[in-house]
Amino acid sequence: MTVQGLGLPMTVAAPSTDGLPTHIRIHEVGARDGLQNEQTTVPTEVKAEFVHRLAEAGLTTIEATSFVHPKWVPQLADAEDLFPLLGDLPAAIALPVLVPNERGLDRALALGARRVAVFASATESFAKANLNRTVDEALAMFDPVVTRAKDDGVHVRGYLSMCFGDPWEGPVPIPQVVRVCRALLDLGCDELSLGDTIGVATPGHVQALLTALNEAGVPTSALGVHFHDTYGQALANTLAALRHGVTTVDASAGGLGGCPYAKSATGNLATEDLVWMLRGLGIDTGVDLGRLTATSVWMARQLGRPSPSRTVRALSHQE
Ligand code: HMG
Ligand code: MG
């Protein structure tokens, strides 16, 4: 495996045209969504180095870990050990963490977390599988979490899973998604992330959901997108969202990822694939693609298997 580092092959960088945003915020989820799904638990020190390398590559929002029940996600059971190892990162690097309930919030606040995320489901099946609650019971569980976090000046993201399809229930009706989105905003979430947890969305569906959300009074500025790449549609879906005006895109270095409680969830949109496309569109992200690729190659070695990202493979000649 070799890494070309900064000597990247060139794409023709066109100025950003046809209504695309000029700047995108990448919400990097590799250390959380990626590592929560690994068979083997990655050592805490390796996770800390991963986050540091991501920051050095220019990522400024790096989801670090989850304060969930350690038996539900053993891969992230070391959150208390990991978070202090990130204390030397510059204050400009945001380190959001997942908290499902007040117990999780207590744990996160005790360590000084300033950004938290609750995670709801648009479907009953996934709410039960992931949170042991109905959709509405989960929203009730988040209510005091959001209120307390906001009272403390902590930024709250609201994830919504299964926005497009669900492995148990099939295609998810748009009004069902809109209802839970509205409920999360009404709880007081600062931003939402629309999750295609099992990667079945296509661009037309993305456009239809974003339009329906706008019609229900949800502004595009409050929305981020979170695509998994099961059917190879994540980049196309992202472009559809950008055309709609979305400027927050979740991605995972090297395309790591999945959800242990969602059958058939594969890796997230790879951050490298996203940066490659944005670079070609002339949209600045501040990310050094060479350094990021080197990080994903390094992480792939730690995990003992090649990165699924096409861009990582192309730039590193990784087999
Ligand atoms: P439960 O079994 O219903 O828990 O699980 P409970 O509320 O009945 O509490 C049982 C015990 O767990 C109690 O202890 C609690 O204190 C303890 P006891 O009194 O019996 O000794 N407990 C905790 N301990 C530590 N930290 C906590 C915590 N909460 C309770 N936070 C629970 C409910 C929510 C805890 C569980 O279902 C859970 O942890 N689920 C997390 C699942 C998860 O992390 N999934 C992956 C993230 S979501 C995702 O990946 C999708 C996303 O990427 C977007 C997309 O792609 O769509 C975000
Ligand atoms: Mg996910």
Side-chain angles (χ1 to χ4, degrees):
M1 274 191 249
T2 58
V3 179
Q4 288 176 303
L6 298 176
L8 298 169
M10 293 303 293
T11 52
V12 180
S16 180
T17 52
D18 65 0
L20 289 171
T22 53
H23 186 78
I24 299 296
R25 186 172 65 86
I26 298 178
H27 184 109
E28 168 61 45
V29 297
R32 194 279 303 170
D33 208 345
L35 300 187
Q36 77 179 7
N37 207 41
E38 285 301 318
Q39 297 289 324
T40 52
T41 299
V42 174
T44 310
E45 294 69 28
V46 173
K47 291 176 180 171
E49 183 171 347
F50 186 37
V51 174
H52 280 88
R53 283 178 178 242
L54 293 169
E56 282 158 19
L59 290 154
T60 53
T61 306
I62 307 172
E63 205 164 88
T65 186
S66 297
F67 290 90
V68 296
H69 195 297
K71 285 199 184 126
W72 282 65
V73 186
Q75 294 89 336
L76 304 184
D78 61 350
E80 263 81 4
D81 297 327
L82 174 65
F83 207 75
L85 298 180
L86 310 178
D88 60 339
L89 284 165
I93 309 289
L95 297 169
V97 294
L98 263 58
V99 295
N101 51 19
E102 288 194 88
R103 174 94 173 84
L105 181 69
D106 290 339
R107 293 172 57 202
L109 293 181
L111 292 169
R114 301 304 298 158
R115 278 181 174 246
V116 298
V118 294
F119 43 104
S121 169
T123 65
E124 294 295 344
S125 302
F126 187 63
K128 192 76 189 158
N130 200 44
L131 294 163
N132 197 25
R133 301 283 186 282
T134 66
V135 169
D136 287 338
E137 284 167 357
L139 290 168
M141 178 168 74
F142 302 147
D143 192 355
V145 176
V146 180
T147 304
R148 283 183 47 205
K150 298 295 299 167
D151 286 350
D152 247 22
V154 168
H155 182 277
V156 183
R157 161 176 263 226
Y159 275 107
L160 184 58
S161 288
M162 305 298 174
C163 287
F164 300 91
D166 172 285
W168 300 276
E169 299 181 23
V172 180
I174 284 177
Q176 196 172 315
V177 180
V178 171
R179 179 185 85 80
V180 190
C181 275
R182 271 253 51 108
L184 282 170
L185 273 189
D186 294 345
L187 287 182
C189 289
D190 295 293
E191 67 171 11
L192 302 184
S193 172
L194 305 174
D196 180 19
T197 320
I198 56 168
V200 292
T202 48
H205 197 165
V206 171
Q207 176 64 37
L209 175 59
L210 291 169
T211 302
L213 284 166
N214 293 158
E215 285 167 3
V218 178
T220 306
S221 58
L223 297 172
V225 287
H226 179 106
F227 295 119
H228 286 259
D229 206 20
T230 320
Y231 289 84
Q233 305 292 296
L235 263 187
N237 292 335
T238 301
L239 189 55
L242 299 186
R243 288 225 159 91
H244 195 89
V246 169
T247 57
T248 300
V249 180
D250 298 2
S252 133
L256 296 169
C259 177
Y261 292 101
K263 285 180 287 175
S264 71
T266 64
N268 291 76
L269 166 64
T271 313
E272 290 85 351
D273 296 12
L274 173 64
V275 172
W276 180 263
M277 179 181 80
L278 296 177
R279 209 167 150 256
L281 289 166
I283 300 176
D284 181 41
T285 59
V287 172
D288 179 329
L289 191 50
R291 285 184 106 153
L292 182 59
T293 301
T295 297
S296 290
V297 171
W298 168 82
M299 185 43 100
R301 282 204 195 105
Q302 307 297 318
L303 297 172
R305 57 182 167 71
S307 161
S309 159
R310 303 286 282 267
T311 303
V312 169
R313 288 176 185 225
L315 293 179
S316 65
H317 308 297
Q318 189 183 258
E319 296 305 318

